[in-house]
Amino acid sequence: MPGAAARHREGRQDMCGIAGLMSSRAPVESQHIAGMIAPLEPRGPDGAGIWVADDGGIGLGHRRLSILDLSEAGRQPMESVCGRYVLTFNGEIYNFAALRDRLEGEGAAPPWKGHSDTEVLLAAIAAWGLRSALERAEGMFALGLWDREQRTLSLARDRFGEKPLYYGWTPAGFAFASTLAPIAGLSGFERSIELQALSVLLARAYVPAPLSIYRGVFKLEPGCLLVVPESGDRHCPAKAPEPGQSGPVRVERWFDYAEVVLAGAADPIVDEAEALDLLEKALAGAVSRQLVADVPVGTFLSGGIDSSLVTALAQRQSGRAVRSFTIGFTEAGFDEAVHARKVAAAIGTDHTELYVTPEEAREVIPRLPAMYDEPFADSSQIPTHLVSRLARTEVTVALSGDAGDELFGGYTRHVQIPWLWRWRERIPGPLRQPLLRTAGGIPASAWQVMARAAGRSPSPQFGHRTRHALRMVAGSQRFDALLDSFLDDWALRPDPLAEKVRRQARLALDPRLAALPRETALMHVDTVSYLPGDILTKLDRAAMATGLETRVPFLDPTVAGVAARMSPQLRFGEGGGKHVLKQLLYSHVPAGLFDRPKAGFAIPVGPWLRGPLRFWAEDLLAPQALARSGLFDVAVIRERWSRHLSGREDATQPLWAVLMFQAWHS
């Protein structure tokens, strides 16, 4: 029998798309499931599988992107050897070889038919139960599991939300899928817009779980398990079930990142040498496990801290030059390719770069609504798709440096918002509001002059942003409110929706973390909201549209656990956030290569909206186009569009959110 390492090479499962339908009102038939998985073909172009229960009460579907174990033994939906369970699974279990060894050691392993991680996970569920199997599994996944004995359907999602999973109640029955299209395509489905979701989309560029853009359809939150009895298709709740809430449909949280943060704070690492040693071992181990595949593997290399560290560790463990990929733009201030090229040369990768013309980048825009399936408005979706398309020409799997910012304090807001709040609290109570309102009323041009007089070189928007920040602080009575308004692109402005809704998906600090530094609590909020809702959604859809599997080593549970133990000093050194990541990187790559401001993965959408994209945007923002749905306050949006066109304001992000919704909804 091959050892664990050999099986590890042989048996990794594939990236896929999954779907299912359960109905107690009318029999589920194969053609229903075939129709549901048809829109998932880009996620799984290499094959399809359908299973329908003999009584027609439930059907499961699967689309496959082949990475490893291409035999029929890896075919899904898959039935357990004991006959109790049927599983449709999308994802990767990185430690499946260790789980297989453990099952064998306990005498709980069935006769193996192949070497897929799906088979191992199914055996683990049969031996230990679903929750225990999930807690022992390390990977990225979404799954649907039918239990013939209990007559229940269980849905589960990975710890941090790398893989998507939607569910909802429709006239056809209870449905779930990797994307919205299979559910929205069911007979009788009414595509009613959820105003709460639209409100948050306009504010933050994405629709956060558990909301979806459609009323009655929800996203399963990361680290959660949902159980639906066979009669649960008749339940039809108006809101998503909450963890711990009683009812016929129940949700439980099998992984809680707040508990990891609290455990880390109770056992902090304060010594930098110890931190570097533990972090390197954890991250190198994660990279090593995620390099395993029987197809070519590469890395995204932007030239920033996170992707450079992942690439450096991958190169150190590889027997040959790792393939790395980046794209560049000719516009001044938006080209990071030159930095990535220097990093690649220092690390020794087989580097591929592609300079993309503005025309090529803009050609992606009409495809975004179908690619993302739900309106999504982080404009870096465009370069993410372009670099995925480039990588797919040479590899089938790519490692990404995402999640470093969330786990190690990489966003300026992690320091800036707590600083603003502490500054506010130092102003004597009776003087606080008058002073803040007065400062917020100082013209933007005056702030520009003051910044230059202080020896700074302010950006053109510095004055506007300073005024906005001061007005937000003045209008916030609680720290949570400041956080929410700070991240709201329509804060302190007229509501862009025609029907005013009280937004329920408001960002808030977890009360269990109240005793920890606010910087830590903010990082937790980003990890459980912005990371799955924006960053991982962007990565998953952009890459899967090209048939590329992406992996995120920073989200390995061991890495996340080590990150949670880092003291604030190790996260936020004198040079800003991610101090310990930078020090680890500098042991592999010269520090001088990173002596520059953080640029991000951006494209010049703002100038394009005033130039080559103006006619496209004007069509979508025309009064009659905005009025057609009855959802928007036309005058409010037109006024902001006018301000952007005139250069009085850079309203790129809030306008992009409206444009992405309009393009999707049209």
Side-chain angles (χ1 to χ4, degrees):
M1 180 177 291
R7 289 199 303 272
H8 196 80
R9 287 191 298 272
E10 295 171 6
R12 190 65 56 73
Q13 186 52 43
D14 314 326
M15 285 293 97
C16 316
I18 62 174
L21 179 65
M22 183 170 67
S23 176
S24 60
R25 289 167 283 185
V28 176
E29 299 180 0
S30 295
Q31 59 263 35
H32 298 143
I33 307 302
M36 290 187 74
I37 63 175
L40 299 174
E41 185 175 357
R43 299 185 68 90
D46 298 327
I50 293 172
W51 174 88
V52 176
D54 292 338
D55 63 3
I58 185 171
L60 304 177
H62 187 266
R63 290 288 325 187
R64 187 179 191 185
L65 168 64
S66 298
I67 303 295
L68 281 166
D69 195 1
L70 311 185
S71 71
E72 286 298 302
R75 186 176 176 82
Q76 294 189 53
M78 185 180 291
E79 298 186 52
S80 63
V81 171
C82 66
R84 177 175 174 177
Y85 300 104
V86 186
L87 175 68
T88 184
F89 173 79
N90 166 28
E92 300 271 4
I93 304 297
Y94 298 122
N95 68 331
F96 84 96
L99 295 179
R100 179 168 171 155
D101 284 345
R102 184 168 181 173
L103 288 166
E104 291 173 352
E106 294 177 0
W112 301 113
K113 297 179 181 179
H115 299 291
S116 74
D117 61 349
T118 305
E119 186 180 11
V120 173
L121 178 61
L122 197 48
I125 293 168
W128 304 323
L130 176 56
R131 176 163 182 150
S132 181
L134 293 173
E135 290 172 343
R136 299 179 190 188
E138 298 174 3
M140 54 177 180
F141 51 82
L143 63 84
L145 179 78
W146 174 244
D147 184 337
R148 285 188 171 115
E149 183 178 303
Q150 296 292 325
R151 309 296 295 174
T152 57
L153 171 66
S154 296
L155 306 180
R157 197 172 177 204
D158 63 61
R159 288 170 175 82
F160 294 100
E162 292 185 64
K163 294 289 107 182
L165 190 57
Y166 293 83
Y167 68 92
W169 286 262
T170 77
F174 177 83
F176 71 90
S178 295
T179 67
L180 269 176
I183 300 175
L186 288 170
S187 176
F189 183 82
E190 294 184 7
R191 302 188 180 210
S192 300
I193 300 300
E194 173 54 65
L195 291 181
Q196 290 286 345
L198 178 56
S199 176
V200 185
L201 170 72
L202 298 181
R204 301 213 297 270
Y206 64 93
V207 177
L211 296 172
S212 90
I213 197 64
Y214 287 134
R215 192 173 302 151
V217 180
F218 310 102
K219 299 186 186 82
L220 186 62
E221 294 183 68
C224 282
L225 168 64
L226 180 142
V227 182
V228 187
E230 62 179 337
S231 60
D233 65 301
R234 297 177 180 271
H235 181 51
C236 302
K239 298 196 318 182
E242 297 179 5
Q245 189 179 55
S246 61
V249 177
R250 70 178 192 273
V251 176
E252 57 184 270
R253 199 175 294 282
W254 67 268
F255 172 79
D256 190 342
Y257 181 58
E259 294 178 356
V260 176
V261 173
L262 287 168
D267 183 25
I269 304 170
V270 296
D271 180 72
E272 185 168 306
E274 179 187 7
L276 290 171
D277 179 61
L278 290 174
L279 178 57
E280 179 153 28
K281 288 177 180 175
L283 189 55
V287 169
S288 177
R289 288 187 290 275
Q290 296 186 27
L291 281 172
V292 176
D294 282 344
V295 292
V297 181
T299 70
F300 292 152
L301 180 59
S302 68
I305 300 292
D306 307 328
S307 66
S308 297
L309 181 53
V310 167
T311 301
L313 291 173
Q315 183 57 63
R316 191 183 69 177
Q317 299 178 62
S318 178
R320 58 185 179 183
V322 168
R323 295 182 177 97
S324 58
F325 301 89
T326 193
I327 59 170
F329 296 95
T330 55
E331 284 89 344
F334 291 90
D335 181 26
E336 290 290 285
V338 62
H339 303 301
R341 188 185 317 138
K342 293 176 181 177
V343 173
I347 296 173
T349 66
D350 179 3
H351 190 59
T352 301
E353 68 178 34
L354 174 68
Y355 271 83
V356 179
T357 67
E359 292 74 22
E360 290 172 317
R362 292 194 292 269
E363 286 173 0
V364 174
I365 293 173
R367 300 201 294 274
L368 292 176
M371 189 184 303
Y372 281 81
D373 198 30
E374 182 177 41
F376 180 79
D378 181 338
S379 62
S380 62
Q381 62 199 129
I382 298 172
T384 302
H385 175 66
L386 290 169
V387 75
S388 297
R389 193 169 69 186
L390 171 65
R392 189 63 181 90
T393 62
E394 297 187 37
V395 302
T396 312
V397 177
L399 272 58
S400 163
D402 286 308
D405 286 314
E406 289 78 9
L407 296 182
F408 292 91
Y411 297 127
T412 56
R413 61 178 173 265
H414 294 155
V415 175
Q416 193 175 38
I417 299 177
W419 181 87
L420 278 171
W421 192 254
R422 287 192 293 267
W423 177 76
R424 173 193 182 276
E425 291 181 324
R426 285 197 291 267
I427 303 174
L431 300 177
R432 186 174 295 158
Q433 292 300 322
L435 282 176
L436 288 171
R437 289 196 182 98
T438 300
I442 295 174
S445 58
W447 285 111
Q448 298 286 132
V449 171
M450 286 187 280
R452 284 192 288 268
R456 299 179 58 182
S457 300
S459 70
Q461 294 298 318
F462 171 78
H464 293 288
R465 290 171 181 167
T466 301
R467 286 190 71 202
H468 189 61
L470 288 167
R471 292 171 63 204
M472 285 190 294
V473 174
S476 301
Q477 299 302 314
R478 303 184 337 274
F479 182 76
D480 283 3
L482 174 60
L483 167 64
D484 193 70
S485 62
F486 195 89
L487 299 177
D488 185 345
D489 289 309
W490 290 90
L492 306 179
R493 294 178 179 276
D495 194 321
L497 292 183
E499 181 180 339
K500 311 311 177 189
V501 297
R502 182 177 181 181
R503 200 169 73 232
Q504 297 174 358
R506 186 169 293 277
L507 283 176
L509 302 185
D510 191 313
R512 293 172 294 174
L513 309 183
L516 301 184
R518 286 196 174 99
E519 291 83 355
T520 301
L522 284 181
M523 290 163 55
H524 171 265
V525 168
D526 273 335
T527 303
V528 300
S529 59
Y530 179 68
L531 177 65
D534 187 307
I535 301 299
L536 297 178
T537 296
K538 173 181 65 180
L539 181 66
D540 175 80
R541 307 305 196 277
M544 292 306 296
T546 71
L548 180 76
E549 175 188 314
T550 53
R551 301 173 180 175
V552 186
F554 277 111
L555 292 181
D556 179 274
T558 304
V559 176
V562 171
R565 294 183 60 201
M566 298 291 172
S567 67
Q569 293 77 17
L570 291 173
R571 285 194 177 113
F572 304 103
E574 293 182 3
K578 298 197 290 192
H579 170 77
V580 71
L581 281 188
K582 295 173 185 176
Q583 300 312 307
L584 180 56
L585 175 62
Y586 299 160
S587 68
H588 295 274
V589 184
L593 293 177
F594 303 92
D595 186 18
R596 64 183 190 278
K598 179 183 177 72
F601 202 22
I603 56 174
V605 171
W608 288 356
L609 289 177
R610 298 186 186 98
L613 288 180
R614 180 167 179 171
F615 292 114
W616 167 79
E618 186 61 60
D619 284 344
L620 294 172
L621 299 179
Q624 62 271 27
L626 289 169
R628 192 173 298 127
S629 67
L631 296 169
F632 295 112
D633 186 319
V634 177
V636 168
I637 294 175
R638 290 294 302 178
E639 192 273 339
R640 203 151 190 196
W641 174 231
S642 175
R643 288 179 61 84
H644 182 83
L645 288 178
S646 69
R648 289 176 291 161
E649 177 190 359
D650 180 2
T652 302
Q653 183 52 59
L655 290 171
W656 190 250
V658 178
L659 288 164
M660 286 296 96
F661 177 83
Q662 286 286 85
W664 172 84
H665 195 239
S666 61

